[in-house]
Amino acid sequence: MSVPSQAPITIVGAGIAGLTAACALAQRGFAVTVLERAGQLREVGAGLQISPNAVRVLEALGLWPRFRAISVASERVELADSMGRPVARLDLARYRPKDRFRLVHRARLVALLEQAAREAGVRIELGHEVTDLPEVPLLIGADGVKSRLRPLLNGIETPFFTGQTAWRALIPAEPDPTPAAQVFMGPGRHLVSYPLGNGQRNIVAVLERPDWHDEGWSIPGDPAELRAAFARFGGPVPGWLAQVDEVGQWGLFRHPVAAHWQDGTRALIGDAAHPTLPFLAQGAVMAIEDAWTLAACLAADPDQAAALARFEALRKPRCQRIIEAANANARNYHLRGPTRAVAHAGLRAVNRLAPTRLIERFAWLYDHDPTAL
Ligand SMILES: Cc1cc2nc3c(=O)[nH]c(=O)nc-3n(C[C@H](O)[C@H](O)[C@H](O)COP(=O)(O)OP(=O)(O)OC[C@H]3O[C@@H](n4cnc5c(N)ncnc54)[C@H](O)[C@@H]3O)c2cc1C
């Protein structure tokens, strides 16, 4: 890889976007500093589903063996109704055997990326909250959904509350857990669960609840409320929820994809540019795709402004499409009454007659190879 002569790069935020970008840029010879407000990158967060489009980036960064060791394969996605009766099954291992769908704890992925970034020569300053954005030759805002840089490029925007809240919890995984993401769909609510390969099972439960307005990952919730909201669910759900003793809760907000991602000396990546609802499991994945594309554009063109413009042009339409698909899933999971019965019957029929159809609908998403750039 070429060693560019460009100016040093400052990244705000050591989440998945910031650390992956730091690693990708440093591997290409850029001098990179990451400023992170947290005093340490602690065990926060829960599960992430990482699809093959992002695994290709981790592999290109030389991180696949380490990532494989901290994650577990997701062999299929199972959709069921609220009583646990099968509705559809996306057999990933069978129909897409070359693709790597993985399940991982967010903190383990962050720790891996932090270590890889440091090995590549990145300076990471923890406990450094950026309040006034520094005047530097190139500033990357990887500072998440409440980004400070985004309003400087886009003005003040107000996200709207979707009327849905989500709980997330970790429980001990049973021995030999089903290596699958399981989705249980009920009227106005759904629950997703998968094992994380570290002896834990991740649970995310979403409920339509118009009276909640907080956005953020670390708001404590009440396990009893979670159990009450899903009391009518069957299958494995009651047994899982009985084990929840700590739960986080957050409100789901819809943000527009940022209209302006860069201005020639500053750029946004990850949630700072395009926060998503969690219904397609692509938040961390888009962050990883962004990171590679940004590094590739900057390494390919010594004209920084042109490189950033190319980055924005490459990424914006794709992120827009992904976010629209996630928004559509939000509606489909929570159907009620006759619409729900008809939709589930339709899915069961498609699944029986053309079992690959549901997977192929997302070929545009999972076949994408950011490293082809
Ligand atoms: C604590 C936490 C837990 C999460 N848990 C989950 C989860 O369980 N499941 C899931 O699917 N997704 C989770 N996410 C979201 C998911 O990780 C992101 O959607 C996705 O990875 C995009 O990452 P990002 O790097 O763009 O943003 P983020 O992951 O939000 O990272 C942004 C980083 O910037 C730092 N930062 C913000 N402002 C400043 C500032 N002014 N100065 C310095 N640093 C700053 C933050 O501390 C954070 O480390 C979590 C995010 C966070 C922050």
Side-chain angles (χ1 to χ4, degrees), residues 69-239:
I70 60 158
S71 60
V72 66
S74 177
E75 293 184 6
R76 52 191 185 273
V77 178
E78 295 176 357
L79 300 177
D81 66 15
S82 55
M83 296 315 295
R85 289 179 294 244
V87 171
R89 180 178 158 123
L90 282 66
D91 229 323
L92 306 169
R94 180 159 172 210
Y95 295 117
R96 298 184 66 101
K98 292 199 185 125
D99 281 347
R100 291 173 293 206
F101 289 85
R102 309 292 296 185
L103 308 168
V104 69
H105 193 296
R106 179 180 179 276
R108 294 178 109 189
L109 178 56
V110 167
L112 185 163
L113 293 168
E114 180 192 9
Q115 194 191 4
R118 289 189 194 276
E119 284 167 10
V122 174
R123 218 173 89 210
I124 302 178
E125 293 182 18
L126 297 176
H128 188 143
E129 171 145 19
V130 175
T131 45
D132 290 319
L133 291 167
E135 290 285 330
V136 289
L138 177 50
L139 183 70
I140 308 295
D143 49 348
V145 70
K146 293 184 179 159
S147 169
R148 278 178 188 264
L149 182 51
R150 176 170 170 155
L152 297 185
L153 296 177
N154 292 278
I156 307 286
E157 298 154 299
T158 317
F160 85 88
F161 181 52
T162 60
Q164 299 174 349
T165 59
W167 286 278
R168 64 177 170 76
L170 293 171
I171 58 169
E174 57 282 15
D176 292 324
T178 307
Q182 292 169 278
V183 185
F184 301 87
M185 304 174 288
R189 65 205 71 199
H190 79 278
L191 183 145
V192 181
S193 183
Y194 47 86
L196 295 178
N198 62 347
Q200 291 180 312
R201 166 172 287 287
N202 188 59
I203 293 176
V204 177
V206 176
L207 173 68
E208 289 176 13
R209 179 183 164 175
D211 62 333
W212 174 278
H213 294 283
D214 238 330
E215 189 176 32
W217 286 99
S218 315
I219 303 157
D222 178 356
E225 248 183 61
L226 165 62
R227 280 189 277 274
F230 288 82
R232 293 188 173 187
F233 276 47
V237 172

